[in-house]
Amino acid sequence: IGIAFERPVAEGARAVMLLGDLGEVACLVARGESVDRPRYFAPMRFMLASPVADAEEAVRRMGDEVWVEDKYDGIRCQLHHSRDRVALYSRDLNEVTEQFPEVGEAARNTADVILDGEILAFAEGRVLPFHDLQTRLGRRNPSQAAQDAVPVIYVAWDLLLHGDESLLDTPLRERRRRL
């Protein structure tokens, strides 16, 4: 996109990450508009982990400060909440709000945010196996019985947008503190 419209390639790549839609980015760049922050209800492309051979390679690739996190067995999900609307987006950028109505309802009590996190099957104080969560996948508007059989929670690990403030260029430590 950057090359096609004689703009810096990095600018186009960042815009695609922020909006997740090549066509929309191409139209914006063609009009000379730029994208400087995420937008509510335009799911961002997910920043995914990549494997490394050992700790030495991780430090070489990431720098002196490396964070290690537990890997949960759930589904990656962005949560967008602004005013009276909530949407959940899966890793493939499809909206999955109807599959997890209890998460959407709970999110109505948050500030206007875009969060990156994971939906987990969770009961009696522990994360349930992914197999249990799979019974909820693909079901639109699950019955109360299905919700009771496999309760879910949303675990947020990154704050991407708060109100109108983009936090993408803020160090991860600060974003985590604000969560």
Side-chain angles (χ1 to χ4, degrees):
I1 292 172
I3 292 169
F5 295 103
E6 299 177 350
R7 301 288 298 246
V9 172
E11 183 180 312
R14 182 172 171 93
V16 169
M17 179 198 69
L18 291 172
L19 296 184
D21 184 320
L22 289 169
E24 183 177 356
V25 169
C27 290
L28 290 169
V29 172
R31 292 192 305 261
E33 297 176 30
S34 63
V35 179
D36 60 350
R37 65 183 180 86
R39 294 183 183 169
Y40 290 104
F41 312 108
M44 294 176 53
R45 291 202 173 186
F46 284 86
M47 294 175 244
L48 303 173
S50 56
V52 294
D54 53 32
E56 185 177 299
E57 182 183 352
V59 171
R60 187 173 59 252
R61 287 175 56 187
M62 303 303 295
D64 291 335
E65 184 175 337
V66 177
W67 291 43
V68 178
E69 299 174 332
D70 290 328
K71 169 62 178 106
Y72 290 115
D73 209 5
I75 63 164
R76 187 82 178 266
C77 186
Q78 282 176 37
L79 186 153
H80 293 229
H81 173 241
S82 182
R83 298 189 178 110
D84 61 347
R85 183 174 170 203
V86 174
L88 303 171
Y89 297 98
S90 65
R91 185 173 164 170
D92 57 6
L93 308 184
N94 289 322
E95 187 172 349
V96 295
T97 313
E98 292 178 338
Q99 293 180 43
F100 306 101
E102 64 271 55
V103 174
E105 190 56 39
R108 293 185 187 286
N109 298 318
T110 66
D112 286 0
V113 294
I114 296 178
L115 299 171
D116 188 5
E118 193 148 358
I119 292 177
L120 304 168
F122 189 87
E124 298 178 12
R126 66 182 183 87
V127 175
L128 302 176
F130 184 73
H131 178 276
D132 293 345
L133 182 61
Q134 283 182 305
T135 66
R136 293 282 304 270
L137 301 182
R139 290 185 181 202
R140 290 202 166 125
N141 301 310
S143 67
Q144 189 60 52
Q147 291 178 54
D148 292 344
V150 182
V152 297
I153 61 170
Y154 183 80
V155 176
W157 63 68
D158 203 351
L159 177 62
L160 306 174
L161 187 68
H162 182 244
D164 289 327
E165 179 186 6
S166 173
L167 298 163
L168 291 178
D169 296 320
T170 303
L172 183 59
R173 177 174 287 147
E174 173 64 19
R175 295 193 319 250
R176 294 273 171 89
R177 186 188 66 73
R178 291 181 63 171
L179 271 176

